[in-house]
Amino acid sequence: MSHPFKAVSLSFKKAPLAIRELLALDEPACRRFLQTLHTELHLSDLLVLSTCNRTEIYYAHEADQSAAIIQALGALKQRADIQSFAAYFDRYLDSEAAARHLFEVAIGLDAQVVGDLQIINQVKLAYQWAADADVAGPFLHRLLHSIFFTNKRVQQETSFRDGAASMSYAALELVEELTADVAAPRVLVVGLGEIGTDVCRHLADSKSFASVTLCNRTRSRAEMLAAEFAPGQLQIADFETLTTALREADVVISSINRAEPFFTRELVAHLDVLSYKFFIDLSVPRSVAADVEQVPGVLVYNVDAIESKASAALEARLAAVPQVRAIIESSLADFADWSREMLVSPLIQRMKAGLEQLRQQELERFQKKATPAEIKLLDDATRAFMQKVLKQHVLSLKAACRRDEAEQLLPLLAELFDLENQPALA
């Protein structure tokens, strides 16, 4: 690919949770960052993706702009020490490598839980924000639509998405394991973002818990989720009475989106834990302070501690990885062909314009000599002839693109058709 597409990535592969949460971006921050990168760094084909496991920026520029992007991220997050985190970032400076990485991220090959379904929805959201900001060019539009088509093929043709080995399902299986010896365990879910909502649905479907209670700052959201199930299947606690619900719960699953931990050591210490109480923190940044585990009887599990418990589903997914990679390679090859053809698109347009100009000049010579019917016949005949000539040249150019020979042909064809002096087609 000749397009200057690149990426810079902070992910769970290099960066621990303590670093990732410092640099995580919510939707408003992602939207602001897109504008900053476009207006101040003059980057195009921009995509900003921030999840619990990664913060990534995809962009187009002839030069490596990763250092400037990291610096801009530090300014956005008010981290004057951002350069101390530079080693945690991966850089993809070749367009094929950057495109391949985005494919693998979106499809779920690069997910902490292989095949995680949530990531493709997060990529779609990030794409929507880029489109809204008008920072996605033809290259990124085509790349994302290729990825979405590939995702459908993976869904339909492989077992990569069989089972429920997502982060939310991994949380469910962890809770089931932790409460295996607890009679009639009671679960409280605080915060109903995307992951929190998915966890609630898994909990309701499992039938393994005495009660599942939802608590969200906006009660209407909890009511809408509870309405999906039978009356009483999911209870609702008001945010104002959260302390009471915390005391009653054996497991607290937190998916709160905020900059600072909500569950502090002081708050949890006042719950009078008599046996064990488990906190499952699905938030990035963390919503359960690290020192909460110092409270006697309290155990905390964060996103880095949640491993896949859906072993059978995960094994099936891992077995499907070669097939998924083959589908991705096929899609990348098609996308690379399109990318190379983009090189010759302006040339083709000028060829069309040049031939059309010559055709019109010849038709004008007969305007006074021929009848309207004869002019119509000439117009149809010359148009058909021009299209046949162009078709052969276009096919040859596209074949040259697939052989990576287009760049060598461009100067020769430009001189042959005198394209420097020909207008482009409107």
Side-chain angles (χ1 to χ4, degrees):
M1 300 178 199
S2 59
H3 195 275
F5 189 60
K6 300 173 177 64
V8 56
S9 166
L10 179 85
S11 80
F12 69 94
K13 290 190 170 181
K14 274 190 177 181
L17 176 61
I19 301 298
R20 299 200 309 274
E21 66 184 355
L22 291 176
L23 302 177
L25 304 174
D26 58 12
E27 178 180 342
C30 285
R31 289 182 181 273
R32 290 197 305 274
F33 200 35
L34 283 169
Q35 292 294 346
T36 298
L37 296 174
H38 182 60
T39 57
E40 296 184 11
L41 298 186
H42 310 293
L43 305 181
S44 58
D45 279 318
L46 275 165
L47 186 79
V48 174
L49 176 66
S50 190
T51 73
C52 61
N53 285 326
R54 66 184 70 250
T55 294
E56 298 186 330
I57 299 90
Y58 297 84
Y59 66 98
H61 198 279
E62 293 296 338
D64 174 11
Q65 295 293 309
S66 56
I69 290 170
I70 293 170
Q71 192 65 39
L73 178 60
L76 180 68
K77 297 295 292 184
Q78 298 182 332
R79 299 295 311 188
D81 58 346
I82 187 66
Q83 289 307 319
S84 65
F85 304 142
Y88 292 110
F89 286 84
D90 284 313
R91 296 154 180 82
Y92 300 87
L93 304 180
D94 173 76
S95 60
E96 184 174 347
R100 185 186 306 279
H101 180 67
L102 183 52
F103 261 95
E104 293 182 352
V105 167
I107 301 302
L109 278 176
D110 199 63
Q112 195 166 27
V113 177
V114 175
D116 195 332
L117 273 168
Q118 292 163 349
I119 185 64
I120 190 67
N121 294 324
Q122 292 163 332
V123 170
K124 287 178 180 178
L125 273 177
Y127 177 41
Q128 183 62 57
W129 301 337
D132 290 345
D134 197 24
V135 295
F139 183 92
L140 187 63
H141 283 301
R142 181 73 178 224
L143 176 59
L144 266 298
H145 284 287
S146 295
I147 287 172
F148 300 149
F149 175 74
T150 302
N151 181 64
K152 286 184 180 179
R153 283 194 61 192
V154 168
Q155 185 82 22
Q156 295 167 357
E157 300 175 22
T158 76
S159 59
F160 190 61
R161 294 282 168 68
D162 289 356
S166 65
M167 282 294 289
S168 54
Y169 193 82
L172 167 70
E173 294 218 336
L174 175 61
V175 173
E176 288 178 336
E177 182 179 301
L178 295 174
T179 59
D181 297 326
V182 178
R186 295 161 297 181
V187 180
L188 170 66
V189 181
V190 185
L192 298 178
E194 184 180 357
I195 293 180
T197 297
D198 281 350
V199 169
C200 289
R201 292 188 176 117
H202 290 316
L203 290 167
D205 290 339
S206 77
K207 310 290 191 301
S208 299
F209 307 98
S211 71
V212 176
T213 301
L214 317 181
C215 184
N216 195 62
R217 192 176 294 275
T218 305
R219 181 183 171 91
S220 60
R221 187 159 187 168
E223 291 173 342
M224 288 176 60
L225 180 57
E228 296 181 14
F229 300 91
Q233 193 170 353
L234 294 176
Q235 308 294 324
I236 299 175
D238 288 322
F239 201 80
E240 293 74 16
T241 60
L242 178 59
T243 302
T244 300
L246 288 170
R247 286 197 176 98
E248 294 174 351
D250 299 298
V251 179
V252 179
I253 301 175
S254 176
S255 184
I256 299 174
N257 182 16
R258 55 179 282 157
E260 301 294 330
F262 177 81
F263 295 102
T264 62
R265 180 179 177 181
E266 181 182 14
L267 172 62
V268 176
H270 284 93
L271 297 180
D272 302 322
V273 179
L274 299 178
S275 56
Y276 283 106
K277 194 178 293 287
F278 304 101
F279 279 81
I280 313 297
D281 188 359
L282 302 179
S283 304
V284 177
R286 281 177 286 190
S287 57
V288 181
D291 59 357
V292 164
E293 201 165 31
Q294 295 177 15
V295 177
V298 173
L299 293 173
V300 179
Y301 297 81
N302 59 40
V303 291
D304 280 353
I306 298 174
E307 298 177 355
S308 176
K309 303 298 178 183
S311 56
L314 185 59
E315 287 176 9
R317 291 181 178 198
L318 292 174
V321 166
Q323 189 179 359
V324 173
R325 290 197 180 280
I327 292 173
I328 289 176
E329 288 303 319
S330 174
S331 295
L332 277 169
D334 290 342
F335 181 73
D337 285 344
W338 172 86
S339 180
R340 285 190 288 266
E341 287 174 14
M342 286 288 287
L343 272 177
V344 300
S345 181
L347 174 69
I348 291 170
Q349 293 302 312
R350 289 190 174 276
M351 285 170 58
K352 287 181 179 179
L355 289 173
E356 178 63 18
Q357 186 179 60
L358 289 173
R359 193 178 77 86
Q360 291 295 337
Q361 288 172 356
E362 290 302 305
L363 284 175
E364 286 175 6
R365 292 175 53 201
F366 293 93
Q367 290 290 339
K368 295 180 180 180
K369 302 177 184 178
T371 66
E374 290 171 334
I375 292 295
K376 176 67 167 58
L377 187 64
L378 279 171
D379 183 57
D380 291 343
T382 55
R383 188 186 304 277
F385 177 75
M386 186 185 82
Q387 288 174 348
K388 288 181 180 179
V389 171
L390 276 173
K391 182 179 179 181
Q392 186 57 48
H393 286 304
V394 168
L395 289 175
S396 297
L397 276 172
K398 289 185 175 181
C401 286
R402 287 190 289 274
R403 297 192 303 269
D404 278 334
E405 296 173 357
E407 290 188 66
Q408 293 92 325
L409 287 174
L410 289 178
L412 176 62
L413 287 170
E415 182 178 353
L416 179 63
F417 285 92
D418 192 23
L419 295 177
E420 292 299 322
N421 299 314
Q422 297 293 346
L425 265 182

